[in-house]
Amino acid sequence: MPLWAWIVIAAIAIIVIFLIFTYNGLVRLRNMVDEAWNQISVQLKRRHDLIPNLVNAVKGYMDFEQETLTRVIEARSAAVTAQQAGPANAGQAAQAENFLTGALRQLFALVENYPELKANQNVLELQEELTTTENQISFSRQHYNATVLDYNTSIQVFPNVLLAGPLGFTKREFFDAEPEAANVPTVDLSIS
């Protein structure tokens, strides 16, 4: 076989090996994003499952606060629906979860106005479980966003960008925290 034939075969082999490694790397990153989303889903489901228990625990005490309870229930329903759309709609799910977080904050603020409710052991335990779950959601969100950053960067850099689009690898959305989380609280330590 002539030398030029060996060169062509070697070039084709190098290109095929490059394509295989690039494709497998992109698939691995996409699967990592999906796995990270599943971790968020587990925590969100736990949160969604705790909310009806909390609402039922406070319902009898908060006769005049039905609007707040209704808002929490509606926000939970919207969050469950948005979360079921999967990682492709992470931005929409984050927005729904942020709305739910706001409704829960309002509910917890109202609980402070009811001394007998603040002392109720069931309500205290549910609040503690929700707080723990919120922390786990925060850690899962950080992991998911880091994984999405790696994936999005990988499909946008050369030479991967040449393969990513035609092979169906599309950019993923981040799961952003509520806008209030970005605000730095002001602390005044001056002595008046």
Side-chain angles (χ1 to χ4, degrees), residues 37 85-91 144 171-173:
W37 177 260
N89 293 325
Y144 174 79
K171 186 177 177 183
R172 295 289 180 94
E173 293 182 52

Side-chain angles (χ1 to χ4, degrees), residues 21-188:
F21 278 106
T22 301
Y23 179 78
N24 288 344
L26 293 173
V27 168
R28 182 183 56 77
L29 286 171
R30 182 176 58 194
N31 289 341
M32 288 175 64
V33 169
D34 291 342
E35 184 273 331
W37 177 260
N38 289 336
Q39 292 302 317
I40 288 177
S41 293
V42 166
Q43 300 307 326
L44 292 178
K45 181 172 179 356
R46 178 184 161 148
R47 178 189 198 202
H48 298 157
D49 290 347
L50 287 171
I51 290 172
N53 296 333
L54 178 65
V55 168
N56 287 334
V58 301
K59 192 181 282 187
Y61 293 96
M62 301 176 71
D63 294 332
F64 304 107
E65 309 292 350
Q66 291 303 314
E67 181 182 329
T68 301
L69 294 176
T70 301
R71 194 173 305 128
V72 169
I73 292 167
E74 289 171 353
R76 177 196 175 271
S77 177
V80 167
T81 301
Q83 187 262 331
Q84 290 172 344
N89 293 325
Q92 187 180 32
Q95 187 177 21
E97 290 298 331
N98 292 338
F99 185 70
L100 177 57
T101 298
L104 285 171
R105 282 187 183 140
Q106 186 177 16
L107 176 64
F108 288 144
L110 289 173
V111 165
E112 295 295 318
N113 296 331
Y114 295 87
E116 66 278 357
L117 191 55
K118 283 182 7 181
N120 183 304
Q121 189 62 34
N122 191 27
V123 172
L124 292 173
E125 288 174 8
L126 287 169
Q127 281 183 304
E128 180 61 32
E129 282 188 56
L130 274 170
T131 300
T132 301
T133 301
E134 294 296 329
N135 290 336
Q136 291 171 343
I137 290 170
S138 177
F139 293 129
S140 295
R141 178 178 27 237
Q142 289 172 350
H143 172 65
Y144 174 79
N145 286 340
T147 306
V148 167
L149 178 64
D150 290 345
Y151 171 78
N152 286 345
T153 300
S154 182
I155 66 171
Q156 294 171 350
V157 297
F158 184 83
N160 295 1
V161 70
L162 301 174
L163 296 175
L167 295 177
F169 294 93
T170 58
K171 186 177 177 183
R172 295 289 180 94
E173 293 182 52
F174 291 100
F175 193 96
D176 294 323
E178 62 264 341
E180 295 83 22
N183 297 336
V184 177
T186 56
V187 178
D188 184 8

